[in-house]
Amino acid sequence: MSKLKTFIQLLLFGIGSVVFLSACNSSTEENGTNSNNSTNERIQIVTTIAQIGEPIQLIGGERVEVQSLMGPGVDPHLYEATQGDITTLQNAEVIFYNGLHLEGNMTDIFAKLEETKTTLALGESIDESRLLEDEEGAIDPHIWFDLDIWKDALNNATEILKEYSPDDAGYFEQNKQDYFAKIDELKADASEKLSSISDEQRVLVTAHDAFGYFGRMYDIEVIGLQGLSTEDEVGLSDIQSTVDLLIEKQVPSVFVESSINQNSIKAVIEGAAKDGLKVDLGGELFSDAMGDAGTEEGTYLGMYRHNVETIYKGLSGGGN
C-alpha cells in the first residue's frame, strides 16, 4: 500500500510539475526577468520540520518567507505528503529537509525535487563520522539535539541561501552569527545544569530513541522503548528490560514525548510499581516536533531549553 501511495504521489507530482513549469516559463517570457534575487519579493522557503524552519526564518530575516510542512505534534517518521504539500514544495524556491531517513515516506519526492529545485538535506551535509548509529547500523537522524552539529547544519543551509541570493550574503551571515551566539549561551547553561545530576540517576527513558545526541552531549545514558523510528514495535520484553534497568539504577522519572503515543511509557511506570519502585512521569519532552507557534516551546531554543529544564527536574528527583 505504501508503494502505491508513493506512486500516486509521484504521478501527481509529475503532472503538477509540468503545469507549474509551464506557468513559470510563461511568466518569465512576459516579464522578461527571472524572479531570483528580486529585491521586492522574499525568497520562498519550504522546510519539513519546524526545527529547521524557525531558525532559518530568523537567519533569513525579512529577506525570506519560510513555511514548515510538519507542525506541533506531527511525527515526521510516519508523515505522508498530501497533494497540498506537493504543490507547496513545487512553489518553493529553496527546500530544506532533515534527511537521514527522518522523513522516510517523502524520500522519492525529494529525489525528484532535487532535479529542479535548490534543495538541501541538512543531516546529509554533516560528516558521517559525527553521526550516531544504532546496533543495526541505521543512522540516528535526530541531529538537532547536538547543538554543535545543528550549528554546522544551519551554517550549511545559510551557505545555500548566500549562493541563491548573493546580494543578501552579508545580511544572512550577520543574522546567523547573532543566532549562533544564542545557541552557545544555551549550550553553556544546559551543560552547567545537567552536570549537577548525580551519576546514578543520569538515565533518560523516553518513548523512542530520539535523544541519543542529547545524551552524548551531556553524558546521559538514553533508553528509548522504540528504536530510532516510531515505526518500530514495542514488545513486552522491551518494557520489562526497561523496568529492570529503572530498578537497578533507581531512576526517579521517565518522560513522554509530544508527538508520540504515551501508552508505552505508562506501561513502564505501571511495571515498575508492580515490582516495588515508584517512578514518576517526569514531564513531556519535545522530540520530533516543537511546541505551538507563538509559544516559547514553538522556537528551537525554547523547545531545547524546556527539555533541559524538564529532564533536570525529573532526574534530580523533583518530578513535575
Side-chain angles (χ1 to χ4, degrees), residues 247-282:
I247 293 172
E248 175 190 348
K249 300 202 172 188
Q250 294 293 293
V251 177
S253 300
V254 295
F255 302 85
V256 294
E257 300 171 44
S258 65
S259 56
I260 308 296
N261 188 293
Q262 300 182 9
N263 290 341
S264 60
I265 288 296
K266 290 179 178 178
V268 167
I269 293 174
E270 292 170 2
K274 289 179 181 178
D275 287 344
L277 177 67
K278 182 182 182 298
V279 177
D280 292 326
L281 182 59

Side-chain angles (χ1 to χ4, degrees), residues 29 42 45 54 93 107 165 195 231 243 254 305:
E29 290 171 2
R42 297 185 177 191
I45 301 174
E54 191 264 343
E93 296 174 78
T107 301
S165 183
S195 65
E231 294 176 320
V243 168
V254 295
R305 192 173 288 110

Side-chain angles (χ1 to χ4, degrees), residues 47-112:
T47 73
T48 50
I49 57 176
Q51 293 93 317
I52 299 172
E54 191 264 343
I56 290 297
Q57 182 64 70
L58 294 174
I59 292 170
E62 62 184 17
R63 311 289 207 275
V64 306
E65 183 173 331
V66 181
Q67 181 175 352
S68 296
L69 298 180
M70 305 176 193
V74 174
D75 182 351
H77 297 283
L78 304 178
Y79 190 82
E80 297 274 0
T82 65
Q83 181 54 37
D85 291 335
I86 293 173
T87 300
T88 298
L89 289 164
Q90 289 169 336
N91 291 335
E93 296 174 78
V94 180
I95 297 168
F96 294 128
Y97 66 105
N98 190 79
L100 303 176
H101 209 67
L102 179 75
E103 311 95 339
N105 293 325
M106 299 179 69
T107 301
D108 292 337
I109 294 172
F110 289 128
K112 189 70 176 174

Side-chain angles (χ1 to χ4, degrees), residues 233-251:
E233 297 286 337
V234 177
L236 292 176
S237 61
D238 298 314
I239 292 173
Q240 187 57 53
S241 62
T242 303
V243 168
D244 293 341
L245 178 67
L246 296 177
I247 293 172
E248 175 190 348
K249 300 202 172 188
Q250 294 293 293
V251 177

Side-chain angles (χ1 to χ4, degrees), residues 24-231:
C24 286
N25 290 337
S26 175
S27 175
T28 300
E29 290 171 2
E30 291 174 4
N31 298 328
T33 60
N34 189 306
S35 61
N36 251 20
N37 303 326
S38 168
T39 57
N40 298 321
E41 295 182 2
R42 297 185 177 191
I43 302 169
Q44 298 300 303
I45 301 174
V46 175
T47 73
T48 50
I49 57 176
Q51 293 93 317
I52 299 172
E54 191 264 343
I56 290 297
Q57 182 64 70
L58 294 174
I59 292 170
E62 62 184 17
R63 311 289 207 275
V64 306
E65 183 173 331
V66 181
Q67 181 175 352
S68 296
L69 298 180
M70 305 176 193
V74 174
D75 182 351
H77 297 283
L78 304 178
Y79 190 82
E80 297 274 0
T82 65
Q83 181 54 37
D85 291 335
I86 293 173
T87 300
T88 298
L89 289 164
Q90 289 169 336
N91 291 335
E93 296 174 78
V94 180
I95 297 168
F96 294 128
Y97 66 105
N98 190 79
L100 303 176
H101 209 67
L102 179 75
E103 311 95 339
N105 293 325
M106 299 179 69
T107 301
D108 292 337
I109 294 172
F110 289 128
K112 189 70 176 174
L113 286 164
E114 288 169 359
E115 298 175 5
T116 58
K117 297 285 183 182
T118 299
T119 304
L120 177 69
L122 272 67
E124 289 156 31
S125 72
I126 300 298
D127 191 303
E128 288 188 10
S129 66
R130 303 174 68 189
L131 303 178
L132 293 173
E133 296 183 356
D134 67 10
E135 295 177 353
E136 298 177 355
I139 295 177
D140 185 344
H142 306 92
I143 58 172
W144 55 88
F145 282 126
D146 184 316
L147 294 174
D148 295 328
I149 289 179
W150 201 235
K151 279 175 59 178
D152 287 345
L154 292 174
N155 179 70
N156 294 337
T158 304
E159 292 303 310
I160 294 294
L161 291 181
K162 291 179 183 178
E163 292 174 11
Y164 190 86
S165 183
D167 291 345
D168 294 319
Y171 176 78
F172 295 149
E173 179 65 24
Q174 184 59 59
N175 287 349
K176 183 196 74 176
Q177 293 298 338
D178 292 344
Y179 189 66
F180 281 8
K182 295 178 181 179
I183 293 181
D184 291 340
E185 181 180 355
L186 172 60
K187 179 183 174 183
D189 291 343
S191 297
E192 180 180 2
K193 176 156 286 189
L194 295 174
S195 65
S196 66
I197 300 172
S198 63
D199 290 344
E200 63 272 14
Q201 294 184 332
R202 303 181 71 80
V203 181
L204 175 62
V205 177
T206 60
H208 90 295
D209 200 4
F211 289 87
Y213 292 101
F214 187 95
R216 182 176 69 178
M217 172 160 273
Y218 303 108
D219 191 26
I220 295 174
E221 181 180 357
V222 175
I223 305 296
L225 289 175
Q226 287 173 289
L228 296 174
S229 171
T230 54
E231 294 176 320

